[in-house]
Amino acid sequence: MGCRKHNCPLPILHPYAKIENMKIMDIGKIIREKDKLAAVLLTVFFALQIIPLLYLGRFNHPTSDDFKYGTYSHTAWQETGSLAAVLEAAAKGVAEDYQTWQGSYSALFLMRLEPSVFGEKYYGLVPFIMLGLLSIGTLYFLRTMFKVVLKSDSLHYISISMLILSFCVQFSPVASEQFFWYNSSVYYNAFHALLLCYLGWLVRFGYGGGKRYIVYMAFGGFCLGGGNYVTALLLVMIHAAALALLWYLKRRKEFWAILFLWLEFLACFAVSAAAPGNAIRGAEIAGYGAVSSIVRSLVQGVRYYMAWLDKWWLIAALIMLPVMLGLIRETSFQFPLPGFVLLYLYGAFSAMSCPTFYALGSTGPGRIINIIYDSFLLISFAQLFYLLGYICRRWEEAVADGRRQKERLGILFAGLYNGAVIILASMLLLSGAILDMTTVTACKVWIKGEGKQYHKEYMERLAVLEDESVADVVFAPYTVEPDLVFIADGTEDPEFVNNREWADFYGKNSLVIRAEE
């Protein structure tokens, strides 16, 4: 656009405009460099946190249900050395469990491929696999939300992902079952990661993505339908909301495609739920009725919020606030119906507790609470972002003077940033809870030598188990039970289920742990 009087470009007519444009470009460059620096620093910070956990992998060994689900596959590998034979044995085990124990076919299949099936040394890869899956799922989902939904070209998605992943690791309710015990982790942590990828595909397809996302979701729905019920029920609710939104926006083509995928997922879920083994297993456990389970889940959601909206969550929120407010300023989204959105997100979160109340009559074991906590982090920060967006939009409407508005926003950003730094430093210095973080616990196990001692004693046991001349095995109890890598041991009863499974895995007649004198 030029000047009418002189018919020349604005930069020539107004020399200060060029300088102003240069300043704007310089500011933009500085902001991008800061975004990049923050992403790099937080990524390095996260990597440093997980190094002790990955190191403990060398002391990690199979236990409990790892032996039960790995027996057929391990035998097939020992006898044939064929991967095809292992997969066939795993499928055979899934078919038996479907009739006698549970119907989650895809999870059971993965359980029967635990690393020690192919060799004891490979079990140390479990923390690498589980931390890797959780990181990939979180990064992909948040990248989708930032790049596709918010149209942000910054690297903020990396910074936020690393921060959330740090919390997932450091405050995991039972870190041993999330990152070190394969049987537990693959059933919950791995399927939680797959759910995050699935949601990323769903969002990308809804925003005009290619048909390849339909293929991805069809495969993901097949797997998630045969996974744990906590993750499956959450996907049911998210799918329902996606369909309602697409119908409201009159996106009929996408609506019918997602409806087909939803029905495919529900059919897979129904196959899992209808397994005869579920009825047999359910007869041994008394749960609550459907209505009671829903009510208890809603109440339990409040308890989780009260427990997890702590000082550490506040620290993360304060760190994220400048990023959130910056994103709100960049987007034109109006954040409508905040009450409905916040309540829906809370309802989806609470629904994760429903399957355990219905089936077990409780909140479930720690491995379930792990993924509920990970979901809480994503959902609670999404609620905070949406609420901030609504407040900022209403505030912008109330402020008429644009210059005054910018000044106030600048003051607000500076105040939030300074407040975050002060509160963060104070809480880190005054709180002793840092001693209970997962990385600190891993360092204790490492430095005290408990992991090394546990590994030594386990390898002594392994030598006996691999000795074909020994048919009836008797072990002394471990002298150490290090955190994170130690899950459980056998008992003095040879008919105890874990003892029996352990003996079968190595082809022994019996196995007992001698009682301590």
Side-chain angles (χ1 to χ4, degrees):
M1 181 177 178
C3 174
R4 293 181 180 179
K5 182 176 180 179
H6 298 281
N7 193 26
C8 63
L10 282 177
I12 297 177
L13 179 63
H14 303 290
Y16 291 106
K18 185 175 181 180
I19 297 174
E20 183 178 350
N21 288 338
M22 290 178 64
K23 289 181 178 179
I24 292 174
M25 293 176 62
D26 291 341
I27 292 173
K29 183 178 180 180
I30 292 172
I31 292 174
R32 286 192 296 272
E33 289 298 324
K34 287 185 176 180
D35 292 347
K36 184 177 180 180
L37 179 61
V40 170
L41 289 177
L42 285 171
T43 301
V44 171
F45 177 62
F46 176 68
L48 291 174
Q49 293 177 61
I50 64 174
I51 287 176
L53 278 68
L54 299 177
Y55 178 80
L56 285 190
R58 64 186 300 180
F59 308 134
N60 199 32
H61 298 288
T63 186
S64 191
D65 287 345
D66 288 324
F67 297 121
K68 171 186 177 181
Y69 292 105
T71 297
Y72 286 168
S73 305
H74 180 256
T75 301
W77 181 255
Q78 292 293 315
E79 293 178 350
T80 68
S82 167
L83 180 60
V86 171
L87 297 178
E88 182 181 353
K92 174 186 175 183
V94 172
E96 289 185 4
D97 283 336
Y98 187 85
Q99 296 295 327
T100 61
W101 188 241
Q102 66 187 75
S104 45
Y105 54 87
S106 55
L108 289 171
F109 187 78
L110 292 176
M111 287 179 190
R112 294 183 178 276
L113 299 179
E114 57 97 356
S116 62
V117 162
F118 306 99
E120 181 68 31
K121 60 183 178 181
Y122 297 117
Y123 201 83
L125 295 175
V126 173
F128 289 85
I129 296 171
M130 297 310 164
L131 284 166
L133 290 175
L134 182 61
S135 300
I136 291 171
T138 303
L139 276 165
Y140 184 78
F141 173 70
L142 289 178
R143 186 179 191 278
T144 299
M145 298 305 293
F146 275 68
K147 298 291 186 181
V148 178
V149 179
L150 299 177
K151 309 296 183 183
S152 172
D153 61 353
S154 70
L155 295 176
H156 287 319
Y157 79 93
I158 296 179
S159 301
I160 299 299
S161 296
M162 292 299 109
L163 187 58
I164 289 178
L165 284 170
S166 296
F167 272 62
C168 291
V169 170
Q170 299 304 333
F171 303 107
S172 173
V174 186
S176 59
E177 295 187 6
Q178 185 168 12
F179 304 120
F180 291 89
W181 182 20
Y182 178 86
N183 181 268
S184 164
S185 188
V186 76
Y187 194 36
Y188 292 102
N189 182 76
F191 279 86
H192 172 72
L194 177 58
L195 173 65
L196 293 179
C197 290
Y198 188 101
L199 297 182
W201 300 330
L202 180 63
V203 170
R204 287 173 182 268
F205 179 74
Y207 274 78
K211 294 181 180 179
R212 66 182 184 276
Y213 294 113
I214 296 179
V215 178
Y216 299 161
M217 285 187 283
F219 174 74
F222 172 80
C223 294
L224 290 167
N228 70 77
Y229 297 150
V230 175
T231 301
L233 185 55
L234 180 59
L235 182 55
V236 168
M237 295 193 63
I238 294 174
H239 247 301
L243 287 170
L245 185 59
L246 289 171
W247 184 265
Y248 174 77
L249 296 175
K250 299 181 179 180
R251 303 280 295 277
R252 297 295 188 259
K253 182 179 179 180
E254 291 83 358
F255 173 85
W256 293 115
I258 296 302
L259 178 60
F260 169 78
L261 290 167
W262 193 39
L263 293 175
E264 179 244 2
F265 164 72
L266 289 177
C268 294
F269 184 55
V271 169
S272 174
N278 289 343
I280 296 174
R281 186 181 185 185
E284 302 176 4
I285 306 172
Y288 296 108
V291 175
S292 178
S293 296
I294 293 173
V295 173
R296 290 174 184 274
S297 298
L298 293 171
V299 174
Q300 185 62 33
V302 175
R303 292 172 179 165
Y304 283 139
Y305 269 69
M306 292 177 65
W308 292 335
L309 288 176
D310 58 4
K311 57 183 176 296
W312 297 109
W313 184 93
L314 177 61
I315 289 171
L318 289 171
I319 294 173
M320 292 182 189
L321 271 177
V323 175
M324 290 182 177
L325 292 171
L327 291 170
I328 291 168
R329 293 179 67 190
E330 293 174 4
T331 182
S332 59
F333 189 67
Q334 293 300 306
F335 300 92
L337 305 173
F340 174 80
V341 173
L342 297 182
L343 286 175
Y344 168 78
L345 290 173
Y346 171 76
F349 169 74
S350 298
M352 298 182 73
S353 297
C354 200
T356 54
F357 277 118
Y358 183 77
L360 305 176
S362 67
T363 56
R367 48 190 173 271
I368 296 178
I369 310 301
N370 287 335
I371 62 169
I372 293 179
Y373 176 71
D374 293 346
S375 300
F376 163 80
L377 292 174
L378 292 168
I379 290 173
S380 61
F381 287 128
Q383 290 174 310
L384 175 63
F385 178 72
Y386 202 93
L387 182 59
L388 279 174
Y390 174 78
I391 294 172
C392 288
R393 288 291 177 267
R394 302 293 81 76
W395 185 55
E396 289 170 0
E397 294 174 359
V399 178
D401 187 350
R403 180 177 299 177
R404 185 181 178 189
Q405 176 181 336
K406 291 180 180 180
E407 292 175 355
R408 289 188 176 183
L409 283 174
I411 295 172
L412 178 62
F413 290 149
L416 289 172
Y417 176 78
N418 294 331
V421 173
I422 293 172
I423 294 176
L424 174 62
S426 299
M427 288 188 171
L428 285 176
L429 291 173
L430 298 176
S431 174
I434 191 172
L435 299 176
D436 297 324
M437 291 183 177
T438 303
T439 297
V440 176
T441 300
C443 289
K444 291 178 183 177
V445 174
W446 181 0
I447 295 172
K448 291 180 179 179
E450 293 180 350
K452 186 176 181 180
Q453 179 64 23
Y454 169 68
H455 173 71
K456 177 178 177 294
E457 294 178 12
Y458 187 94
M459 296 306 294
E460 291 173 352
R461 289 185 175 189
L462 183 63
V464 176
L465 292 169
E466 293 179 343
D467 186 346
E468 296 181 358
S469 65
V470 180
D472 297 290
V473 179
V474 179
F475 288 137
Y478 287 114
T479 60
V480 293
E481 296 180 356
D483 290 330
L484 299 179
V485 292
F486 178 83
I487 304 297
D489 200 6
T491 70
E492 59 184 349
D493 180 7
E495 298 303 317
F496 178 61
V497 60
N498 287 350
N499 291 49
R500 186 67 265 162
E501 293 163 358
W502 197 356
D504 291 341
F505 189 88
Y506 289 101
K508 303 301 180 182
N509 292 336
S510 66
L511 186 151
V512 298
I513 305 299
R514 185 177 67 245
E516 294 185 61
E517 296 180 1

